[in-house]
């Protein structure tokens, strides 16, 4: 299959953490009209390929539990160069996740499959955005690839 990225490239610049919040394990069957039919594994595979082509390895974690996500953020310090985070609905109210991201200080790119700004009013606030270097939303699975590319550009130029 044609790919934008070469098959094998060294992942020697470091590692990125791809972090997924609640209900994203259901991608593929969850509200396909909004989130599409690709599974989380499909998105992770595509994002990982994009990162590897740019010289970074990826670890991916998903949890429906806020405490687990916070612990993963805490443990990311010193282990990862940056985080791509789709916090799901925690995006809109989980200030403890905001504080964890702020405490760790790693560069974070906020990502969403849908465009929360074009949806219900309660999705318009993001507690992740103020502690992210930037946000990418509304491009389906391509959002993850764009987020990886944005994070890598940031890391490569800092
Ligand atoms: C989402 C948008 C959130 O509002 C929602 O709660 C999700 C998914 C997205 O990727 O579009 O779970 O983060």
């Amino acid at each position: 299959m044609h790919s934008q990225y070469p098959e094998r490239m060294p992942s020697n610049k470091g590692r990125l953490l791809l972090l997924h919040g609640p209900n994203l394990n259901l991608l593929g069957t969850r509200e396909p009209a909004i989130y599409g039919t690709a599974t989380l594994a499909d998105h992770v595979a595509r994002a990982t390929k994009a990162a590897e082509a740019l010289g970074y390895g990826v670890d991916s974690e998903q949890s429906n539990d806020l405490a687990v996500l916070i612990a993963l953020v805490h443990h990311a310090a010193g282990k990862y160069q940056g985080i791509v985070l789709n916090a799901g609905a925690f995006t809109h109210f989980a200030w403890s996740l905001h504080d964890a991201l702020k405490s760790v200080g790693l560069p974070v790119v906020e990502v969403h499959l849908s465009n929360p700004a074009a949806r219900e009013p309660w999705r318009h606030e993001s507690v992740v955005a103020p502690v992210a270097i930037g946000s990418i939303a509304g491009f389906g699975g391509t959002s993850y690839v764009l987020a990886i590319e944005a994070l890598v550009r940031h890391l490569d130029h800092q």
Side-chain angles (χ1 to χ4, degrees), residues 17-63:
L17 177 61
L18 201 48
L19 202 49
H20 317 273
N23 303 309
L24 295 168
N25 55 311
L26 299 180
L27 288 174
T29 56
R30 175 192 179 196
E31 300 184 84
I34 296 173
Y35 299 115
T37 51
T39 64
L40 186 61
D42 294 334
H43 294 307
V44 171
R46 208 175 145 201
T48 300
K49 207 169 172 187
E52 286 176 351
L54 296 168
Y56 287 84
V58 167
D59 290 323
S60 175
E61 299 280 356
Q62 187 276 333
S63 180

Side-chain angles (χ1 to χ4, degrees), residues 53-78:
L54 296 168
Y56 287 84
V58 167
D59 290 323
S60 175
E61 299 280 356
Q62 187 276 333
S63 180
N64 297 318
D65 184 333
L66 181 56
V68 171
L69 291 171
I70 289 171
L72 286 165
V73 169
H74 291 173
H75 292 133

Side-chain angles (χ1 to χ4, degrees), residues 137-157:
F139 298 99
T142 303
S143 288
Y144 285 104
V145 174
L146 295 171
I148 291 282
E149 290 179 356
L151 180 56
V152 168
R153 276 180 195 237
H154 171 85
L155 292 169
D156 286 354
H157 292 104

